[in-house]
Amino acid sequence: MNATDLKSLEQELEKMRQVLHQQVGGNVSALSHAAVLPISRRLDYLLNRYYELKQKQSF
């Protein structure tokens, strides 16, 4: 993965973070709403992928 791919991943992470923030709207109890789960799962996947790629870059 090159720097452009990593930048694209960073942009998607930020987009999903904003989507999650909009869905929750500052209401912590909304975190358990069914509509939040797929967003949260996608964000988790992206974060794991991001950290995995960053770790590989450091070697």
Side-chain angles (χ1 to χ4, degrees), residues 1-53:
M1 180 168 262
N2 61 33
T4 303
D5 294 334
L6 193 58
K7 184 67 176 172
S8 177
L9 184 56
E10 289 171 348
Q11 290 171 344
E12 188 174 359
L13 274 164
E14 179 59 23
K15 178 184 169 190
M16 291 308 297
R17 186 196 66 78
Q18 290 174 1
V19 169
L20 183 62
H21 187 266
Q22 288 173 348
Q23 186 71 34
V24 173
N27 181 2
V28 177
S29 65
L31 287 171
S32 62
H33 192 276
V36 172
L37 186 59
I39 300 166
S40 179
R41 283 184 176 156
R42 178 68 181 163
L43 191 52
D44 286 345
Y45 168 80
L46 292 170
L47 284 167
N48 287 330
R49 182 77 178 130
Y50 177 80
Y51 290 125
E52 180 182 299
L53 292 172

